[in-house]
């Protein structure tokens, strides 16, 4: 599939808990998200967004997080592991944060997720582990805020995703737009 890009682990939770549970595989449904996950659906499911406008489209059907962040966090003294930050798919070998809006992740087996934006770390992150929100935020050379808590996407093509699956990245045509929080 890609040059070493793989799925490390997959997770879901039927409740609106911060962490998600490890699974052997998850099933992605087009226009819906992860079957059996509390955040799946055509319209917003995150509680804060439902309060604002429950009819808004769900641009956060799937949360993807790079395993390299866990390596960084553990090295900084934060014992945090795949699934604990609420992601559905933990990847390795893809710089998720550098992808442009509209990039597509094609998983071995055929499922396709289109990246819609960055996850904006919420207050729950410090409730989970003190100081974690500061650890997943940084500043770039220009002083801009860098959100390292993964990316969000929508399911274009359904299918099964499991640990060990390869991932191929397809970049959108034309000018690339940097990811923004969704």
């Amino acid at each position: 599939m890609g040059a070493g890009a793989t799925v490390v682990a997959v997770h879901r939770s039927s409740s609106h808990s911060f962490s998600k549970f490890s699974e052997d595989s998850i099933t992605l449904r087009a226009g819906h998200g992860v079957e059996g996950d509390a955040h799946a659906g055509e319209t917003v499911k995150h509680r804060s967004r439902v309060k604002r406008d429950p009819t808004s489209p769900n641009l956060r059907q799937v949360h993807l997080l790079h395993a390299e962040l866990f390596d960084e966090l553990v090295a900084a003294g934060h014992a945090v592991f795949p699934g604990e930050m609420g992601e559905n798919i933990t990847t390795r070998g893809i710089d998720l944060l550098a992808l442009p809006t509209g990039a597509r992740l094609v998983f071995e087996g055929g499922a396709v997720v289109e990246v819609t934006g960055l996850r904006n770390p919420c207050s729950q992150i410090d409730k989970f582990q003190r100081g974690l929100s500061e650890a997943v935020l940084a500043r770039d050379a220009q002083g801009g805020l860098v959100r390292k808590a993964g990316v969000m996407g929508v399911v274009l093509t359904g299918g099964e995703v499991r640990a060990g699956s390869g991932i191929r990245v397809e970049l959108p045509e034309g000018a690339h737009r940097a990811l923004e929080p969704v």
Side-chain angles (χ1 to χ4, degrees):
M1 294 250 48
T6 61
V7 174
V8 172
V10 294
H11 314 89
R12 69 180 172 156
S13 176
S14 59
S15 70
H16 282 272
S17 56
F18 181 74
S19 297
K20 295 188 184 287
F21 304 101
S22 182
E23 302 282 346
D24 292 331
S25 68
I26 56 173
T27 301
L28 303 184
R29 279 191 23 221
H32 183 77
V34 179
E35 272 189 18
D37 192 85
H39 295 106
E42 291 180 22
T43 57
V44 293
K45 299 301 175 206
H46 287 76
R47 291 176 176 163
S48 63
R49 295 171 194 303
V50 169
K51 283 181 186 174
R52 276 187 256 151
D53 182 359
T55 64
S56 293
N58 187 3
L59 301 178
R60 300 166 56 106
Q61 294 174 356
V62 181
H63 176 202
L64 301 103
L65 194 64
H66 48 296
E68 293 84 354
L69 177 63
F70 294 113
D71 300 341
E72 179 184 324
L73 293 173
V74 168
H78 292 280
V80 184
F81 302 96
E84 291 184 335
M85 289 182 54
E87 80 276 10
N88 299 111
I89 301 173
T90 310
T91 66
R92 184 170 292 281
I94 298 174
D95 187 352
L96 293 173
L97 304 179
L99 293 173
T101 301
R104 293 179 177 184
L105 303 174
V106 181
F107 296 89
E108 188 176 331
V112 179
V113 172
E114 183 172 278
V115 178
T116 56
L118 296 167
R119 175 189 183 193
N120 197 22
C122 65
S123 62
Q124 287 185 352
I125 205 163
D126 274 333
K127 291 177 187 171
F128 175 72
Q129 193 174 118
R130 189 180 195 142
L132 192 56
S133 64
E134 187 177 330
V136 298
L137 295 171
R139 295 278 174 188
D140 62 20
Q142 294 76 36
L145 188 62
V146 176
R147 293 166 177 87
K148 300 188 283 184
V151 299
M152 308 305 285
V154 295
V155 180
L156 298 182
T157 305
E160 184 180 65
V161 178
R162 61 179 50 249
S165 296
I167 310 166
R168 184 180 75 244
V169 176
E170 294 180 352
L171 297 175
E173 292 184 22
H176 291 180
R177 226 177 33 162
L179 295 175
E180 296 178 10
V182 292

